[in-house]
């Protein structure tokens, strides 16, 4: 049967936005964030938006913003034009033979298809996915200025304004002695009621990790994220069995198959799920189901997306029955400006999941024009 609604156009736009301060991670220092915004148009005139965003060019993963745009322009868009805009599973399955992996690019396309379908049916994406079980998501903030006193002041002001009460510290740029001192000083300054996690972004050797984690555990740190290289799954398993403090897998987990491998080897207590790593919202649900069934706790992670990507993630994470470690969907707050008309709402230590059709957010065309990469 011929579909009644077909895809007419798919555009991938690179957008560069300045950050509010330098964001220092083990593998990159970010003074701006680059988003790839995907805009689809269907034959019924309905538009959909999606976003593919990574961290530090190619320093977090194998897809760069420029590569994502090329993948969409050259391969994914031509394969989708003329296809049924309403059959999202069929559209995404068709892309599997066109492009191996390239999950960030596929995530942006699937998000845009879901946004359009939600607008078409007059329901939010969370409803398309079966319904939200929470209206707001707890959201932490990452302290990553690189300076201990600046981080403490930043945390104290965010606690006072009730925006965040959990903080993730980025470590791994310096030696472990300095890192442990930095984390311990912040933990002591903020007190026992404030949850502190650390993200090493794979920077430590297994021996350094064992040494540092024992000190962090003694200092009362609540969780350690991706301490060692992502392919050292056995090493992660050894750390997870050695320490009480939960070990979270981030770079080591993308797909449902990764979740299964980690579960089989007991390589993590918590999984950092991200819509881009999974290759879309439905694959996030599939990955979550594997982790959940294996008894691992789940965490709504971020690639520091802007508002479109963060809200897409908020929709899917609002539907998961269990989300033990809350979320870090603060990406829009790290940006000085935005390309949407109304920025996401953060209050009471949480992010509101929009209830309007589709994503429930609209593009600011002037801002998009201003910040899109020229030339
Ligand atoms: C990561 O590795 O988890 C998440 C928060 C943040 O500051 O960086 C990201 C990436
Ligand atoms: Mg991480």
């Amino acid at each position: 049967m011929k579909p009644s609604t077909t895809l007419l156009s798919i555009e991938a736009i690179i957008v560069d936005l300045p950050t509010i301060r330098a964001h220092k991670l083990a593998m990159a220092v970010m003074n701006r964030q680059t988003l790839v915004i995907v805009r689809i148009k269907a034959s019924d005139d309905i538009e959909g938006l999606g976003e593919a965003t990574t961290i530090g060019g190619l320093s977090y993963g194998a897809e760069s913003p420029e590569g994502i745009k090329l993948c969409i322009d050259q391969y994914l868009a031509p394969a989708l034009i003329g296809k049924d805009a309403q059959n999202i599973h069929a559209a995404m399955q068709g892309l599997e033979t066109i492009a191996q992996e390239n999950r960030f690019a596929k995530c942006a396309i699937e998000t845009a298809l879901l946004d359009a379908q939600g607008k078409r049916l007059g329901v939010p994406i969370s409803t398309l996915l079966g319904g939200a079980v929470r209206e707001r998501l707890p959201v932490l903030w990452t302290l990553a200025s690189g300076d201990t006193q600046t981080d403490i002041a930043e945390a104290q002001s965010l606690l006072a304004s009730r925006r965040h009460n959990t903080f993730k510290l980025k470590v791994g740029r310096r030696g472990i002695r300095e890192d442990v001192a930095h984390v311990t000083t912040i933990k002591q300054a903020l007190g026992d009621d404030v949850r502190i996690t650390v993200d090493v972004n794979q920077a430590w050797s297994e021996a350094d990790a064992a040494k540092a984690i024992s000190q962090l555990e003694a200092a009362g740190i609540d969780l350690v994220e991706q301490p060692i290289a992502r392919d050292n799954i056995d090493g992660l398993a050894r750390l997870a069995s050695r320490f009480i403090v939960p070990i979270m897998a981030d770079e080591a987990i993308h797909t449902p198959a990764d979740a299964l491998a980690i579960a089989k080897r007991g390589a993590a207590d918590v999984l950092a799920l991200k819509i881009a790593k999974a290759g879309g919202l439905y694959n996030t649900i599939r990955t979550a189901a594997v982790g959940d069934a294996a008894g691992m706790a789940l965490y709504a992670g971020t690639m520091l997306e802007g508002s479109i990507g963060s809200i897409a993630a908020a929709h899917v994470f609002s539907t998961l029955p269990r989300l033990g470690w809350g979320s870090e969907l603060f990406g829009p707050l790290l940006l000085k400006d935005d390309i949407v008309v109304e920025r996401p709402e953060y209050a009471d230590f949480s992010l509101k999941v929009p209830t309007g059709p589709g994503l429930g957010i609209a593009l600011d065309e002037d801002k998009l024009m201003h910040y899109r990469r020229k030339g």
Side-chain angles (χ1 to χ4, degrees), residues 187-207:
K187 177 71 189 168
Q188 282 167 358
L190 300 180
D192 283 345
D193 294 342
V194 177
R195 193 186 253 186
I196 300 285
T197 70
V198 303
D199 189 357
V200 193
N201 285 114
Q202 317 182 71
W204 290 337
S205 67
E206 193 178 337

Side-chain angles (χ1 to χ4, degrees), residues 158-234:
L158 293 168
L159 282 162
S161 62
R162 296 181 57 80
R163 211 181 74 184
H164 305 279
N165 57 5
T166 299
F167 299 95
K168 160 158 146 174
L169 310 189
K170 286 290 189 179
V171 297
R173 285 187 79 71
R174 302 174 280 209
I176 57 169
R177 190 200 299 248
E178 251 187 287
D179 271 344
V180 170
H182 168 76
V183 174
T184 307
T185 306
I186 293 176
K187 177 71 189 168
Q188 282 167 358
L190 300 180
D192 283 345
D193 294 342
V194 177
R195 193 186 253 186
I196 300 285
T197 70
V198 303
D199 189 357
V200 193
N201 285 114
Q202 317 182 71
W204 290 337
S205 67
E206 193 178 337
D208 277 353
K211 195 167 166 188
I213 296 170
S214 70
Q215 294 171 28
L216 294 173
E217 192 172 76
I221 297 314
D222 295 276
L223 174 141
V224 177
E225 179 174 341
Q226 197 66 51
I228 58 174
R230 69 191 175 110
D231 48 9
N232 189 0
I233 301 294
D234 289 331

Side-chain angles (χ1 to χ4, degrees), residues 19-25 28-34 54-56 303-304 334-335:
T19 55
I20 54 169
R21 59 151 165 73
H23 199 62
K24 297 187 178 170
L25 293 71
V29 177
M30 298 166 58
N31 289 297
R32 65 170 193 184
Q33 179 58 311
T34 301
T54 188
I55 293 171
M303 287 306 303
L304 298 175
L334 191 63
L335 303 175

